Structure formats: C-alpha cells, structure tokens
C-alpha cells in the first residue's frame, strides 16, 4: 500500500493557504493546466502515482490519481483487459486524474461508454481541505451522491483527486479498421448514422478528412465476416487496416497527431445533426475538425492565429460547450476576450452547478472554468 | 398542525388544479406507501401534475410555505423513497407520461418523467432501438424514479445503470427554478451535473424532462440456464466466466427457494436444483455464436449438472418473467419479506452467500436469494410472518447483519434500490463523518430548507 | 402486506378478503393492466390503491363511504389478478367486499332505483326482451335522463332477434365422446340466440351430447359482482338444484356467467351449500376450454384465403378463468382465419357486466381504446367469448365508422364447419 498521507496533507495545506490552486499532473493538456493568473498556484500531483488494487477477476482497478494512463493500460493488457473509455494522450503522459478532470473519452469509447461510465470511486480533497470519498471499488453502488461522476469534467475545479477506482472490461481479442471513402458530407453522415444503429456493433466510428473510419473488435474468427457485413450496405471504396496499421490509425487519433502544428485543440460534445452547422461555422477560419464517437464529439484544431472568441461564438450559436485542451500557439492578445477561460461556448449547469460549487469550494480556491 | 394543513391546502388551491389536487382521506391513504409497506405516512395533499408548469408552480408554493414535498413516479421504491413526509405533499408525475421524441440518428429519446421504463423501448422499437436499463419493475416503474435511484437491472452487467444512459435533463430545483443539465450529446463538457443528479434520490429536485441514450436491439440473444448443487458453485461459475474474458449481458442466480416462488407464481418451468444460473449473450449473430461455444464449454467445466440454452423469444420471455417476478412472488412463500440490496466484490460472492446461509440458519429465518451475480449485487429476501410477535424485529436485525457483512467484504449497502428511509442508519458504515458532512453540504447548497424528499438518504439537519 | 383486519368478527367472507390483502406486497406490477389506472392515473383507482383502501376500511381506519367511489370505479375485470406475481386473488376480495359495502352503504333513491331496474331486468330473458322493445321507444328521451340511465337505454339493441327456444337435449353426432350441461344465459339468449345454437352444433359435431336443464336460471354473476350477494344466492341455489351431477362438465359460453358459476363456492362460504356449490364451480368450464381439452374430432377444411381475425380476450375468460390459448387454438383450427394480436390485450373493453351502465364515461373511453387497438391489427373480423364484450366492441367499432363483424368463438367455428364464414356478415 502506498502511503499518501504526506501528499494529501500537502494538498490540503496548499488549498487552505490559497489563494487559488490548480492541480497539474502529466501536463498533456496545457490548455487546462496552465495557471492562468498570478494568484493561481499550480499543484503538482504527479507524485500520487501507483496502482493500489487490481484483481482481474473483479474487473475493477484502483489507482492514485497521478498514475499515468500508460502504466495502467499495460497492467490491464497483461490480463487482456482495458480501459474501455480509451483515454487519449496516453503516450504523451496523460494521467488518470487528468483524464477524469478533462473527461477525455477516446474514439474507442463508442462501444461501451466514456469516462463517466467507468469511474466508480473517488477520493479527493475539497475546497476546505477535507479528504472525502464517494462511490466505492465495486461495479454497482447506489449509496450516497455520485461524487465520482461529479469529478468527470470538473477541470480541477471541484476538488483535487487523490485516488480513483474504475470498472474495466475484457479487451477485444482482435481489431480491424475500415475506412470508407464517401462522395459527400451527406453520404458520410448518413453512413455514420446507419452504422451506429447496428446490427454490427462497432468499437469506434470517426469522421476525419479522409472519410468515415470504423473499427471492429472482438473474436478474431468472426472479424472478417463481420467486416464484410459492415460493408454490405455501403457504396464506397473501402480501405482495410490490419495489425500495426489498425493500431496506428487509432494511435494517431488518440495522440492528436493529426492536429496541425500551432493549433489549439478544443473538444466539444454535439450530435450528428450539428455537423453541417459546425462545418459551416468553422469554414471561414480554416480550422480542422475530427468527429468521433459517431459524431457525439468534435475535436477542433483551432489555428493559433485565430481569435478563440470566434469559436466561442460559433459554439454558442450551436448551443454547445467546448473545452480548450491544449494551448500550443496561444494568442494571448485575442484570448483575453474569452477571459482565458478553459470552457467556451454555451454555459452549462446554471445555478445547479454554482450551488454545488459553493458546497465543495466555499472559499473559491479552485478555478471555475 | 391543523392550521398548517389549512394554510398549505389553501395555498395549493391557488394553483386551480381542480380535481388534480387531491386531499380526500381515501386519496391520502392510498398515496401513503411505496413498495416498502412497513412505512406509511399520509401526505397533506397530492398534486397530480400534468405539465412542467404544474410542477414548477407546486414546488414554488412549497418553497414559499416551507412545505416538504416528495416526487412520486409509480411508487415502486423498495426503500421508502417515495414515502410521503410528515406535513408534506406528494407531487405525482405518473400523468407526465409522454415520450416527447425519438431521434434514431442520434440514438436518443427525450421523455417526460412519468413515462414507464418499458414504454421507452416500445416507442423506440420501430427504429430497431431500445432503452437498456431493465429493472425487474420495468413494466411499471417510471424514468423519473429510475433517475432518482440510478436503477439497475439484470442487463446492466454489460450496459451499465440508469446514469450511464441519461445524458440530459430539465430539472425543477427545490425553490422552483428550472435548469437544464447536460444535452442530447453523450459527451459532457464541464462537470457531469447529470451524473451527479442521477441517484440523488429526489434530494436535488424534480426531473421534468429526461434525454436518454438508446441502444440497437441486438440481432441475436441467447439465454442459458445452468443448474448447480450449491450457490457457491454457481457463484464460482460467474467468476470463471468473467475471468475467461466473456462479457455476457446478464448473469443472474436464483436459489431453490426463489425458484420455488417463481414456479408458484409465473411457472417458468426452471430445471430444479440448489442454484440456477441464468446467462444471457447478445449481439451480432457471429459474435453470439462464437461466445456461445465458449460459454457452453465454461459451464460444462464449472460443474453444472444440467445446462440448456434457447434463442426462442417466448421461452426467453418466460425465463425472464420468472426472474423478474421473483420479489413479488415470494408473497407465495411467506406473508412478509424484506428485500436487501447489498453488493460485494464479485470474487467474494461465494463467501458472502455461505455466510448469509449460516446467518439465516442461526437466526432460524428463511432467506431466498435471487441476484445480479455478474455485478455482485445480492438480493437476499428475508421471509417472515409479521403476525408472529418479534418477527419483524428479528427479520430487520438479520437484514442489518447482512448489510454489515457486505460492507465488511468491501461492498456496499445498496446496489440499486437506494438508501431511502430504510438504510439511512447504515450509510455511516460506508462513509466517514467528513464524507457525510460533505453530502449534507451539497444537499443544502441545492436545497437550504431541505424541502425535497426531506429525511431520505440523509438525516435532515434543519427542520423548519 | 401486514394488516389488522378483525377477521373473526367480519363473517365467513372475511378470511378470503384478508388473505388477498395479506398476499399483496404493494409492488405495483398490476397498475399498467388496470383499466381505471390507465385512464385515470390515480393511485386510488388502481388495484394496489383499492386493496389498500379495502384494508383500511376493514381495519376500521377509513370510513367506507370515503373509499367507496374508488371501489365502485373498479370494473371487476381481474386483469390485476393475471398481472400479479404475488398470487393476490383479487376476485375473492372485491366480490365479498362489494357485498359488505352494499350492507353498510348509503345509496340515494335515484341510484337505488336504477340499480334495482338493472338487476331485475338483465338477468331475465323475458323481461329483458320486453325492456329492449320499450327501451327503443324511450331512446329519444335518453338525453333527459341521468347520464347512466341514458347510457342504459343506448345500450339496448336496435332489433331483437326472434326467440329460439332450446331443446332439452341436443344429441351428439356419431360416437358420443362426452356429455355436458349447458348454461343458456340471460341477456345473451335475447341478444344473440345464435351463440347457443352454434355451441350446440359444434359440440354435437365433435361427439358431445348437451343437456339444457329446464329449471336453470340466471347464474347470478351480475348480482354477485355488484355486491348483491343476497340476491345472487337464490339464483345460485336454483342452479345448484337444476344442474345434474352426471355430466362431464357444465358448459358456459358467456365469460361472465362462467366466472360467476365458478365463484359459487366462495358465495356460499361458511354456509350449508358450500360443498355442493364448490363441486358445481369445479365442474364449470368455458366451452372453448372444454373443446380444446377434448380436442376437435373433425377439422373444418382449410380456406385458401384466411380472414385476418383479432381475438379479443374477455376479462372474465382471460383473467377470471385464465383461458387465453384455448379459443385461439380453436380459431386457428377452424382453418379459415389468420390470427392477429391486438395491443393491450389485457385491458378491459369497458363492458364489464353493468359497468357501462354505472360508469358510462370510463366505459366509453375504454370501449373506444379497445376498438382502436383492434382496428390497428387490420382484422376483418373480431372474435371473442362474451356477449357483453361483443355488444360493447361492436358499438365502438361502429362509432369509429367500422362495420366489422364481431362473433363468438363458437360462431366462427360453426360457420367454418358450414363453410359460410364471410367478413361481411353480422352478429345474430
Ligand atoms: C418487485 C420490484 C422489483 C424491483 N426490481 C428492481 C430492480 O431490478 N432494479 C432496481 O434498480 N430497482 C428495482 N425495484 C425498485 C424500484 O422499482 C426502482 O427504484 C424504480 O426506479 C422506482 O421507480 P418509481 O417510478 O416507482 O419511483 P417512485 O417509487 O415513485 O420514486 C422513487 C424515488 O424517486 C423519486 N422521484 C420520482 N420521480 C422523480 C423525478 N421525476 N425527479 C426526481 N425524483 C423523482 C421519488 O421521490 C423517490 O425518492 C423494484 C421494485 C419492486 C417493487
Ligand atoms: S379488477 Fe380490473 S378495474 Fe378492478 S382493480 Fe383489478 S384491474 Fe383494475
Ligand atoms: S401486483 Fe399483486 S402484489 Fe403487486 S400491488 Fe398488485 S395486487 Fe399487490
């Protein structure tokens, strides 16, 4: 067992002293971990590292919040299991706490669900310096408020996570990827909607500049037949990626390798129906976008030279909210107009959110957005 | 008391609800309990809401007059969740029962809170879609109640609980403010307020519109039955299936007593034995076929004395009807029962069952077991006859001991039925004073007067 | 559910009532199948609510008059009993409770007069025939009468077929396989005498001899199910005497009558006739269940172009007697039909004995809902097993502009044998 007392005490102390703290670990999402004001103290929690409990037969894993995703993924892979929410930026050094705080579900989360669907327990230090826990280490638990879910997407603004428990699943025994080259946006969206409705269950369904990307996972013996069925109704050129090529497609997606240099990455939830609207809104700014999770998610690469306020306005008009994940190529002058905010677009939570914040962080020790 | 009653009813009369404001003694008596009849409390009045506006206005009156209120869907809570609060009113939502929209492309449905769980799947069926969480009470329980309790079901092993399928909602806060949480996208931005609302047992206000995720209706479904000569053996089989990397959609166990009850009730024709394991696989044809072969192999190796499997919808329907009727069906075996809802880590299932068996023998009280084995979610049904002196107390004592056992094994006092009024005293087994204090703070930040479902889950601090 | 009903002081019917209440676990599984809950959406008008109210009344916690409006709303359809996983015998609660209530309640004079009129008319074929004729004359004034009296008049048929007296014995054709006694029924004899004839012909064709005891009278179900137990008893006694013991079964072809006779044991609970009554109850069987169990000796020839037929489950057959598959199997065996299943099969059509006279508004809603569900199947003919349902369904189909024939299961079979099954014909 790793003794975290000192760490926890240091965190609590930092919070009590203030004036404001921002927990930081892997630093893979600099848009979120950049201390944005003179009164903000960056609190490095990457020392809270290590797997506390993992019994493959239990399908649950508990680790300290600063544990790198890659380390967890390796431990799970040794037992043919995985984190089904497919956390991105693992190779870059993302940590569990960062993934939960940023709610970054990856492309393969389509199959079983995102971060929110797999966090089952949390221990965190709240804005008064109290160490509290919610949830547990079991897959099913209805006792008390669902604080683990509250931490998902909290951007370090509701507490400093110390320890997290996750539900895990057996990983697909084999995977293969198909890329459909379709003639129009319309055809692409129509195909995505149809594939998403089954009957062939896909692990990932993305739309990038090259077209519709589909990943299938499961029993190696059935993959080829399933892939054939998947192609049946689709009139398009199909490209197959197997083995290393299959892995590379999704590693590129996860590590955001496709993002043009000098861009900021903004992540926003949406629906398939919003795609044409977002396309149109982004067109004047030469921004690149990759749709993921059957277009429930857009990764927007926003040129560093462009004013973030324009994206803010575009998202507002769609009624969507974006999280500014990376700040490479930051244009400090223009960013001022969005107040350096990490959340842009339509506000969320309303007074429900502000009331809960007031309970967890009564002295405003954390950054709100 | 009388003055207050008049004041409250007078204030509610301003809503001009006509015969949708109930105050007659008969109405008050019939709304006095949920499915946990050990508790009964007549409310002062019942508002039968038919619109969001009805709910908002009723809640505002409660806030103005400092009257506690309890939302009620179908009243099937097993923990006293929809039990009225003394001196309070009930806001009944069962008439808010329209499926507002189904979006097959986004795979979502937006519904009113009084919609019956099964009706969501019925509305989505023509698109080849379904709503996955399937509490045994799915033919009657409401989505609002499901949200409040984060209800689960047999098929939650693979699909997750209610909160995994709720992505957006409109909520009336306990002071009447209307807020929107989440959206129609599965990907939240900012804190997961929706996830936080799910399972809050009505303490954060009333959900008046809910957006749900839908799943494709699987192409093939195969249900296997395996008979074991002990509960422990059945429990071990579950662990082996999980370890082998199979992910069935459901794994349920029933013991001999639960089988007997089901046979008395809906006659599912189960093979008889000390323990019955139900395993369901679903998905594409090829996947189910592949998994079925591996599953059959595993079941054989696990020492099952008899195994059968079927894909016939009627036969499968009957298997599940037997399983899902099991709680109520124990009414055939004993006049009264307490159903517990403890969770243990799944690797400790066998140990927990053996211990419950021992405790049951020691107390001389029959306990039927029917549970979500894949999740480690036990449902011991403690059978007793309330007419015998002291029987209730003895049954309650055993129930408490079972909860302690679950916690000591690293589990929880509730997997899906919630704390309600029934398990409030046991919450401190799982949470530290700081944890509980924080939950109280959160509650009061939303509802400083503690009007929404006062006294459920958390012990109230302020009483107005 | 625990209760504190003083069973000893409430008479012989108290135990079955207490047992039903005791086995209710308040789970609510019965709610979605209850016609009043589905239409009214109030807990008091649900089976679970009613059981609770009856408990409170019997315990002395609630005044009878306060609970009665909700008890009166109950159609007695027993859908709740079918849905109940806990084995609550709702029929054994509501029937005695209504008798108890009748003894203790206050009724206003108009109410009493109407009730009296119904109970004195419907069970007597001659009186009913007369009333039907007179009623037609009164129909223009229906609007001037209280709503329920008006609806009673509207229920009366446009024309009453001529009376067709039944013979004392209808012999089997060919080798005799069984011998049964038939309850001829009251309203049914007047409204659709053909049902009895169809029954006799089909039974005979399948080797069954039928006796029709001359001394028989009304089964008493109407009185029993509306709380008039004391009025039902003489009727039941008459049948106890009239029906012979040396038959293989006592056959009914009206679901309501069948379920009534099957409750004789309960009616006489604690009285000298109890055993004899129970024996008769045990021997009573719906004609469809009897024929299905016996097996058809001769199958009608298969029609090249089968008619889509929706079978409507009469509550007193499906719920009260648990007979659902037998009539369907017979219809399929007729070779002339293709069965289509309507949605909400468990939901009452609103006929329910005298319900559409007493609670016309709810009965109307249910009738229309049932008609829509039946129409949605695309059926060209409706089959069912109860005269009350036939009238109700027919009326509501007509009100929606659909002139679809509604026949008794045995009429369908009879016509299939005769090769005269067409969609355009009418009942009677
Ligand atoms: C026989 C039986 C079997 C059951 N099986 C299962 C099972 O397998 N899994 C399971 O999880 N549960 C099960 N339950 C428990 C119960 O059905 C669930 O808890 C269900 O979600 C309750 O739904 P309801 O509509 O009846 O809610 P109610 O009982 O009416 O209310 C439950 C709680 O929700 C609150 N509430 C209701 N509507 C709203 C709203 N719109 N907004 C906010 N709060 C609201 C109420 O105040 C109350 O606290 C079972 C119950 C029975 C009787
Ligand atoms: S008999 Fe019919 S109307 Fe009466 S409570 Fe039962 S289901 Fe409802
Ligand atoms: S289904 Fe049965 S046990 Fe459940 S409430 Fe209805 S009558 Fe009672």
């Amino acid at each position: 067992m790793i003794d975290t007392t000192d760490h926890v005490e240091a965190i609590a102390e930092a919070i009590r002293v203030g004036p404001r703290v921002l927990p930081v670990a892997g630093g893979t999402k600099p848009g979120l971990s950049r201390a944005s004001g003179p009164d903000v103290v960056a609190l490095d929690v990457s020392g809270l590292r290590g797997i506390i409990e993992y019994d493959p037969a239990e399908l649950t894993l508990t680790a300290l919040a600063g544990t790198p995703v890659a380390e967890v993924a390796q431990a799970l892979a040794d037992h043919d299991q995985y984190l089904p929410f497919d956390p991105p930026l693992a190779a870059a050094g993302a940590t569990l706490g960062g993934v939960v705080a940023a709610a970054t579900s990856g492309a393969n989360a389509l199959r079983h669900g995102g971060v929110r669907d797999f966090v089952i327990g949390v221990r965190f230090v709240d804005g008064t310096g109290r160490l509290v826990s919610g949830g547990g280490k079991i897959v099913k638990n209805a006792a008390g408020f669902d604080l683990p879910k509250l931490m998902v997407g909290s951007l370090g603004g509701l507490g400093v996570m110390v320890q997290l428990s996750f539900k895990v699943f057996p990983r697909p025994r084999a995977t293969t990827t198909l890329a459909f080259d379709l003639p129009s946006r319309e055809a692409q969206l129509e195909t995505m909607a149809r594939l998403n409705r089954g009957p062939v269950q896909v692990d990932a369904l993305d739309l990038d500049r090259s077209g519709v990307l589909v990943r299938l996972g499961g029993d190696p013996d059935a993959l080829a037949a399933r892939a054939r069925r998947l192609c049946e109704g689709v009139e398009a050129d199909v490209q197959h990626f197997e083995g290393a090529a299959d892995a590379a497609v999704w590693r590129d997606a996860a590590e955001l390798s496709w993002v043009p240099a000098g861009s900021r990455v903004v992540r926003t939830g949406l629906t398939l129906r919003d795609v044409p609207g977002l396309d149109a809104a982004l067109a004047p700014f030469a921004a690149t976008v990759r749709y993921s999770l059957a277009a429930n998610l857009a990764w927007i690469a926003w040129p560093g030279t462009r004013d973030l306020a324009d994206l803010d306005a575009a998202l507002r008009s769609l009624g969507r909210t974006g999280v500014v994940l990376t700040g490479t190529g930051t244009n400090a002058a223009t960013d001022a107009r969005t107040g350096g905010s990490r959340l842009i677009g339509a506000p969320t939570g309303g007074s429900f959110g502000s009331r809960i914040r007031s309970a967890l962080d009564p002295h405003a020790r954390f950054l709100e957005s | 008391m009388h003055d207050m009653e008049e004041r409250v009813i007078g204030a509610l009369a301003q809503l001009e609800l006509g015969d949708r404001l109930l105050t007659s003694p008969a109405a008050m008596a019939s709304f006095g309990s949920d499915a946990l009849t050990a508790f009964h409390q007549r409310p002062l009045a019942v508002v039968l809401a038919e619109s969001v506006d009805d709910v908002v206005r009723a809640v505002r009156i409660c806030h103005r007059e400092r009257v506690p209120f309890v939302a009620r869907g179908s009243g099937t809570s097993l923990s006293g969740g929809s039990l009225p609060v003394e001196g309070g009113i009930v806001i009944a939502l069962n008439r808010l029962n329209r499926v507002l929209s189904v979006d097959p492309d986004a795979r979502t449905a937006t519904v009113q809170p009084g919609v019956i769980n099964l009706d969501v799947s019925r509305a989505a069926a023509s698109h080849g879609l379904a709503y996955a969480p399937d509490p045994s009470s799915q033919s009657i329980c409401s989505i609002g109640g499901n949200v409040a309790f984060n209800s689960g079901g047999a098929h939650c092993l693979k699909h997750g609980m209610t909160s995994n399928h709720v992505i957006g909602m409109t909520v009336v806060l306990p002071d009447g403010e209307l807020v929107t949480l989440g959206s129609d996208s599965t990907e939240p931005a900012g804190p997961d307020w929706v996830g936080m609302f799910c399972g809050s047992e009505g303490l954060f206000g009333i959900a008046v519109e809910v957006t749900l995720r839908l799943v494709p209706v699987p192409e093939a479904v195969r249900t296997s039955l395996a008979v074991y000569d002990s509960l422990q053996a059945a429990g071990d089989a579950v662990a082996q299936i999980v370890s082998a990397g199979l992910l069935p959609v459901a794994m349920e166990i029933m013991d001999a007593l639960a089988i007997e009850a089901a046979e008395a009730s809906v006659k599912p024709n189960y093979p008889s034995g000390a323990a019955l394991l139900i395993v369901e696989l679903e998905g594409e044809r090829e996947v189910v076929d592949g998994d079925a072969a591996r599953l059959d192999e595993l079941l054989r190796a696990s020492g099952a004395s008899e195994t059968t499997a079927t894909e016939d919808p009627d036969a499968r329907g009957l298997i599940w009807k037997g399983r899902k009727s099991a709680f109520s069906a124990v009414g055939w075996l004993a006049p009264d029962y307490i159903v517990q809802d403890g969770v243990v880590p799944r690797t400790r299932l066998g140990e927990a069952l053996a211990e419950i068996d021992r405790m049951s023998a020691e107390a001389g009280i029959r306990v039927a077991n029917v549970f979500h084995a894949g999740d480690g979610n036990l449902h011991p049904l403690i059978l007793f006859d309330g007419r015998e002196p002291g029987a209730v107390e003895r049954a309650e004592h055993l129930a408490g001991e079972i909860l302690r056992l679950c916690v000591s094994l690293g589990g929880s006092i509730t997997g899906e039925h919630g704390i309600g009024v029934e398990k409030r005293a046991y919450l401190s087994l799982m949470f530290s004073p700081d944890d509980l204090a924080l939950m109280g703070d959160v509650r009061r930040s939303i509802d400083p007067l503690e009007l929404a479902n006062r006294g459920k889950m958390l012990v109230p601090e302020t009483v107005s | 559910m625990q209760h504190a009903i003083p069973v000893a002081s409430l008479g012989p019917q108290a135990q079955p009532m207490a047992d039903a209440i005791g086995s209710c676990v308040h789970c609510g599984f019965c709610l979605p199948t209850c016609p009043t809950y589905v239409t009214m959406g109030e807990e008091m008008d649900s089976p679970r609510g009613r059981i609770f109210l009856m408990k409170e009344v019997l315990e002395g916690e609630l005044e009878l008059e306060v609970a009665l409006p909700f008890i009166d709303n109950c159609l007695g359809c027993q859908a709740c009993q079918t849905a109940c996983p806990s084995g609550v015998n709702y029929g054994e609660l509501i029937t005695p409770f209504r008798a108890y209530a009748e003894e203790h309640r206050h009724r206003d004079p108009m109410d009493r007069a109407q009730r009296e009129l119904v109970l004195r008319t419907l069970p007597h074929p001659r009186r009913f025939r007369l009333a039907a004729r007179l009623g037609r004359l009164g129909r223009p004034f229906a609007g001037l009468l209280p709503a329920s009296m008006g609806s009673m008049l509207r229920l009366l048929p446009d024309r009453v077929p001529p009376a067709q007296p039944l013979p004392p014995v209808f012999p089997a054709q060919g080798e005799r396989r069984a011998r049964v006694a038939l309850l001829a029924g009251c309203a049914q004899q007047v409204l659709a005498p053909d049902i009895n004839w169809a029954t006799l012909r089909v039974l005979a064709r399948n080797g069954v001899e039928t006796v029709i005891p001359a001394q028989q009278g009304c089964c008493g179900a109407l009185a029993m199910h509306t709380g008039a137990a004391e009025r039902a008893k003489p009727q039941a006694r008459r049948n106890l005497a009239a029906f012979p013991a040396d038959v293989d079964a006592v056959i009914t072809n009206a679901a309501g009558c069948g379920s009534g006779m099957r409750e004789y044991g309960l009616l006489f609970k604690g009285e000298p006739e109890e055993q004899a009554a129970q024996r008769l109850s045990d021997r009573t069987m719906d004609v469809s269940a009897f024929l299905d169990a016996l097996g058809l000796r001769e199958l009608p020839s298969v029609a090249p172009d089968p008619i889509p037929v929706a079978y409507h489950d009469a509550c007193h057959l499906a719920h009260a007697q648990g007979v659902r598959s037998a009539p369907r199997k017979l219809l399929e065996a007729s070779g002339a039909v293709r069965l289509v299943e309507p949605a909400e099969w468990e939901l009452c059509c609103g006929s329910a004995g005298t319900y559409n006279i007493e609670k016309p508004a709810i009965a109307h809603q249910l009738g229309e809902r049932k008609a829509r569900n039946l129409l949605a199947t695309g059926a060209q003919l409706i089959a069912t097993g109860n005269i009350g349902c036939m009238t109700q369904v027919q009326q509501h189909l007509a009100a929606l502009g659909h002139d679809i024939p509604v026949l008794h299961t045995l009429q369908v079979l009879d016509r299939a044998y005769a090769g005269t099954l067409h969609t355009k014909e009418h009942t009677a």
Side-chain angles (χ1 to χ4, degrees), chain B residues 170-387:
Chain B
T170 305
V171 172
V172 179
L173 296 180
D175 55 9
E177 185 180 343
L178 203 61
V179 294
T180 305
L181 310 177
S183 73
D184 53 353
S185 168
T186 60
E187 284 304 294
D192 186 4
W193 308 119
V194 171
M196 181 66 174
F197 190 93
C198 289
S200 60
E201 302 202 9
L203 267 58
F204 291 160
I206 302 182
V208 287
E209 222 177 272
V210 187
T211 300
L212 306 167
R213 227 154 56 83
L214 301 173
V215 297
V217 174
E219 173 178 65
V221 188
R222 182 177 187 269
T223 312
S224 306
L225 298 179
V227 184
Y228 295 87
D229 50 19
S230 74
L231 272 181
Q232 179 118 31
D236 291 346
V238 168
Q240 285 157 23
I241 293 168
V242 169
S243 300
L246 276 184
L247 191 61
V249 67
M251 282 198 273
E252 303 280 308
I253 294 181
M254 298 173 78
D255 71 2
L257 218 47
I259 296 173
E260 185 186 332
E263 290 299 338
S265 167
V266 302
K267 305 184 177 51
N269 244 322
Y270 291 143
S272 60
L276 177 72
L277 171 63
I278 308 174
V279 186
E280 189 155 283
L281 298 170
E282 66 165 45
E284 293 146 66
R285 182 76 270 158
E286 299 87 348
V287 175
V288 169
D289 288 347
D291 287 355
R294 294 176 62 206
L295 176 67
D296 289 350
E297 188 54 43
L298 283 161
L299 290 177
R300 252 193 308 280
S302 69
S305 60
E306 188 183 340
T307 62
T308 58
T310 177
E311 290 197 21
D312 177 67
D314 290 341
R316 291 186 39 250
L318 195 59
I319 291 173
W320 283 114
K321 192 168 179 201
R323 163 62 188 88
K324 294 193 171 187
S325 301
F327 288 0
S328 316
V330 295
W332 289 83
L333 303 184
D336 300 290
Y337 72 88
I338 299 177
V339 52
Q340 276 308 359
D341 176 40
V343 185
V344 295
R346 76 188 108 208
T347 48
R348 309 194 72 174
L349 259 181
E351 199 179 334
L353 291 167
E355 186 57 15
I356 290 173
D357 197 37
R358 193 195 59 74
M359 292 178 353
S360 143
E362 191 179 284
I365 300 176
R366 289 193 298 167
V367 175
N369 280 295
V370 42
F371 54 97
H372 309 305
D375 297 321
N377 187 186
L378 299 170
H379 287 316
L381 294 146
I382 300 162
L383 310 183
F384 64 101
D385 183 347
R387 287 165 300 190

Side-chain angles (χ1 to χ4, degrees), chain B residues 22 26-27 29-31 33-35 37 40 42 48 72 74-76 94-95 136 139-140 265 325 328-329 331-332 336-337, chain C residues 1-2 22 25-29 31-32 37 40-44 48-49 52-53 56 61-62 66-67 70 85-87:
Chain B
L22 308 176
S30 61
F31 278 92
S33 287
D34 55 20
T37 52
H40 186 78
R42 290 190 193 182
L48 296 172
R72 179 177 162 118
S74 299
T76 68
N94 58 308
R95 291 189 184 185
S136 299
S139 62
I140 179 60
S265 167
S325 301
S328 316
W332 289 83
D336 300 290
Y337 72 88
Chain C
M1 182 162 59
Q2 292 185 44
V25 298
H26 221 252
C27 66
F29 277 32
L31 268 58
Y37 183 75
M40 301 182 192
E42 297 175 339
E43 184 68 24
M44 313 78 81
R48 180 176 64 177
F52 198 83
L53 291 177
E56 298 270 292
E61 292 289 321
L62 199 67
V66 179
F70 310 108
S86 190

Side-chain angles (χ1 to χ4, degrees), chain C residues 22-242:
Chain C
S23 49
C24 173
V25 298
H26 221 252
C27 66
F29 277 32
C30 49
L31 268 58
T33 65
C34 173
T36 57
Y37 183 75
V38 167
T39 49
M40 301 182 192
E42 297 175 339
E43 184 68 24
M44 313 78 81
D45 277 306
S46 77
R48 180 176 64 177
R50 290 190 179 108
I51 292 170
F52 198 83
L53 291 177
M54 289 189 259
K55 169 183 104 82
E56 298 270 292
V57 169
L58 295 173
E59 286 177 341
E61 292 289 321
L62 199 67
E63 280 180 51
L64 174 67
E65 297 285 340
V66 179
L68 271 179
F70 310 108
I71 307 299
D72 286 350
N73 280 341
C74 170
L75 291 103
C77 69
Q78 298 186 41
C80 47
Q81 198 165 319
T82 304
C84 178
S86 190
V88 171
N89 196 331
Y90 184 83
E92 295 199 350
L93 171 59
I94 188 75
T95 303
F97 189 87
R98 283 190 156 148
Y100 167 90
E102 240 9 84
E103 272 173 44
H104 296 87
R105 80 192 294 170
H106 164 81
R107 278 193 187 274
D108 72 41
M110 190 64 182
D111 210 20
R112 203 193 320 261
Q114 176 204 321
R115 194 176 146 78
E116 203 47 28
L117 185 63
V118 173
L119 283 177
R120 286 160 73 94
T121 312
L122 280 183
H124 301 279
R126 273 207 314 277
R127 284 186 209 158
F128 184 57
R129 180 176 300 281
L130 189 66
R133 296 224 188 86
L134 295 176
R136 250 183 309 141
L137 298 176
R139 197 167 312 168
F141 308 106
L144 301 175
L145 295 166
S148 54
M149 285 269 232
S151 67
M152 181 170 158
L153 285 184
R154 270 186 292 271
L155 270 185
L156 294 171
D158 283 334
R159 67 195 155 84
V160 184
Q164 301 170 34
L166 298 170
V169 178
F170 200 84
Q173 289 172 19
E175 189 193 337
R176 192 177 93 180
R177 297 163 75 205
R179 185 164 170 271
V180 300
L182 176 74
L183 178 84
C186 315
Q188 171 174 300
Q189 272 197 70
V190 177
L191 295 173
D194 179 62
I195 296 178
N196 277 340
W197 285 99
T199 302
L200 294 174
R201 285 190 292 264
V202 172
L203 284 172
R205 202 182 258 268
N206 284 286
V208 182
E209 176 180 298
T210 310
V211 296
I212 302 103
Q215 294 310 309
Q216 66 174 293
C218 170
C219 64
L222 206 55
M224 227 188 292
H225 292 156
T226 50
E230 290 313 315
R231 194 190 291 269
K233 280 180 189 165
Q235 295 171 328
R237 278 197 196 95
R238 178 171 170 174
N239 287 332
L240 284 180

Side-chain angles (χ1 to χ4, degrees), chain A residues 254-310:
Chain A
E255 298 304 324
L256 305 178
S257 325
W258 56 274
V259 172
S263 310
R264 273 169 292 182
V265 174
V266 176
R267 194 180 185 278
T268 180
L270 78 176
T271 69
L272 194 92
R273 213 175 297 290
D274 297 319
V275 170
L278 186 61
D279 281 346
L282 296 181
F285 304 99
T288 334
V289 58
R290 178 185 179 113
Y291 295 97
S292 191
L293 299 173
N296 274 284
L297 174 67
W299 298 93
I300 301 166
W302 187 252
T305 52
R306 294 291 189 172
D307 191 339
L308 208 50
D310 290 322

Side-chain angles (χ1 to χ4, degrees), chain C residues 291-305:
Chain C
L291 261 179
D292 179 52
L294 184 71
L296 293 184
R297 185 170 63 184
E298 184 190 327
L299 292 181
S301 50
V302 176
D305 188 16

Side-chain angles (χ1 to χ4, degrees), chain B residues 368-427:
Chain B
N369 280 295
V370 42
F371 54 97
H372 309 305
D375 297 321
N377 187 186
L378 299 170
H379 287 316
L381 294 146
I382 300 162
L383 310 183
F384 64 101
D385 183 347
R387 287 165 300 190
E388 287 170 13
V392 181
E393 293 72 21
R394 284 199 303 277
E396 280 175 351
H397 178 75
L398 177 60
E401 290 303 300
I402 293 178
L403 294 185
R404 279 175 215 282
L405 168 73
C406 292
V407 175
S408 73
L409 290 174
S412 170
I413 57 178
T414 174
E416 55 185 21
H417 297 168
I419 302 292
V421 288
E422 191 215 4
K423 290 182 283 263
R424 229 170 51 174
Y426 297 98
L427 206 54

